[in-house]
Amino acid sequence: MLVSARKWSMVPFGFYVMPALILLTGIMIIAYPFGAAANTFVIFGVASIFYGIIELINWYKFRQR
């Protein structure tokens, strides 16, 4: 979504931080499934909540433009 938003306006670098952290979380779960087995659902749930919040913030900010 952020890449397509670049067509309409400039997207600051800070907007890419949270999606990158969520991507790293997913890679960590895939790379170390046994180490994260006990906390997989918690990590995935928290990452999903953060992703949803960040997407709402991005939508609101780009809608204003």
Side-chain angles (χ1 to χ4, degrees):
M1 182 168 176
L2 291 174
V3 173
S4 64
R6 289 185 352 194
K7 295 177 186 175
W8 302 301
S9 67
M10 186 176 148
V11 178
F13 178 75
F15 283 93
Y16 293 99
V17 172
M18 192 53 146
L21 290 176
I22 293 171
L23 177 67
L24 289 174
T25 301
I27 291 170
M28 182 190 76
I29 290 172
I30 291 171
Y32 303 108
F34 298 112
N39 299 322
T40 300
F41 289 111
V42 173
I43 292 170
F44 184 70
V46 170
S48 297
I49 290 170
F50 280 137
Y51 182 74
I53 291 169
I54 294 302
E55 282 296 314
L56 285 173
I57 291 170
N58 289 343
W59 169 77
Y60 180 74
K61 288 189 181 238
F62 287 115
R63 185 173 175 220
Q64 289 179 343
R65 293 182 183 199

